[in-house]
C-alpha cells in the first residue's frame, strides 16, 4: 500500500523558516498533483499550495511570495519551503496526493483518487 509521511514541522519564531517534506512510500507509478493543506484550530482545512505533474504551482494568496512548493518525482516527495513565517501560519500541515497509481498488495496496479498524510504541526510564536 501507499502511505504519505510528513516531516519538518516544529516551533519557529516569526520571520523564520521551515521546510516540510512529504514522501510517498510504496511502489508508485504516477502521481497527478501533490498538495499541502493546513488546518488551524477552529478553522476549516485550506489549500496552501499545489504542484501538478507538469510542475505548475498554485498558491493561496496568504502565502504567495513566502512559500515555495517543489517535488522530486524520482523520490515521490513533495516539499514546502516556508519563509517569513507569521503567527497566522500556525496550523497542522497535511500532505495530499491526487490521482495515485501504485502497485497493490495483490501485485496489480491500483488507483487512489486521493491520499493524505498524518499531518505535522507548525507553530510560529515568539
Amino acid at each position: 500500500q501507499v502511505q504519505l509521511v510528513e516531516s519538518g514541522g516544529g516551533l519557529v519564531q516569526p520571520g523564520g523558516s521551515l521546510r516540510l517534506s512529504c514522501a510517498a512510500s510504496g511502489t508508485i507509478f504516477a502521481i497527478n498533483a501533490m498538495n499541502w493543506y493546513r488546518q488551524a484550530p477552529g478553522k476549516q482545512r485550506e489549500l496552501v499550495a499545489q504542484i501538478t505533474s507538469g510542475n505548475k504551482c498554485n498558491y493561496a494568496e496568504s502565502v504567495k511570495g513566502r512559500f515555495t512548493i517543489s517535488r522530486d518525482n524520482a523520490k515521490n516527495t513533495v516539499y514546502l519551503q516556508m519563509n517569513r513565517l507569521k503567527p497566522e501560519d500556525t496550523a497542522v500541515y497535511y500532505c495530499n496526493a491526487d490521482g495515485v497509481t501504485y502497485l497493490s498488495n495483490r501485485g496489480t496496479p491500483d488507483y487512489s483518487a486521493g491520499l493524505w498524510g498524518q499531518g505535522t504541526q507548525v507553530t510560529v510564536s515568539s
Side-chain angles (χ1 to χ4, degrees), residues 29-41:
F29 302 119
I31 300 176
N32 189 10
M34 298 191 80
N35 313 295
W36 286 99
Y37 286 77
R38 69 185 179 187
Q39 188 166 19

Side-chain angles (χ1 to χ4, degrees), residues 100-123:
V100 184
T101 304
Y102 62 97
L103 186 67
S104 74
N105 290 339
R106 300 179 302 277
T108 57
D110 206 344
Y111 177 84
S112 174
L115 295 172
W116 290 90
Q118 80 284 359
T120 185
Q121 177 71 46
V122 171
T123 302

Side-chain angles (χ1 to χ4, degrees), residues 14-26:
S17 298
L18 281 176
R19 189 191 194 209
L20 305 183
S21 299
C22 172
S25 64

Side-chain angles (χ1 to χ4, degrees), residues 2-4 24-25 28 95-100 102 112-117:
V2 177
Q3 289 184 324
L4 301 180
S25 64
I28 296 171
C95 175
N96 167 259
D98 282 340
V100 184
Y102 62 97
S112 174
L115 295 172
W116 290 90

Side-chain angles (χ1 to χ4, degrees), residues 5-98:
V5 179
E6 299 128 334
S7 60
L11 173 65
V12 64
Q13 292 187 340
S17 298
L18 281 176
R19 189 191 194 209
L20 305 183
S21 299
C22 172
S25 64
T27 301
I28 296 171
F29 302 119
I31 300 176
N32 189 10
M34 298 191 80
N35 313 295
W36 286 99
Y37 286 77
R38 69 185 179 187
Q39 188 166 19
K43 294 188 176 181
Q44 288 189 333
R45 189 172 296 189
E46 63 172 348
L47 178 63
V48 175
Q50 177 187 70
I51 183 166
T52 68
S53 57
N55 285 328
K56 180 180 179 181
C57 301
N58 298 296
Y59 297 95
E61 284 295 326
S62 59
V63 306
K64 277 184 180 178
R66 300 188 297 121
F67 291 11
T68 302
I69 190 171
S70 60
R71 65 191 283 177
D72 184 335
N73 291 328
K75 296 180 179 180
N76 293 314
T77 299
V78 63
Y79 306 95
L80 186 68
Q81 178 66 43
M82 305 185 292
N83 299 327
R84 290 185 281 137
L85 282 159
K86 305 175 181 180
E88 51 264 42
D89 294 318
T90 296
V92 178
Y93 284 70
Y94 296 91
C95 175
N96 167 259
D98 282 340

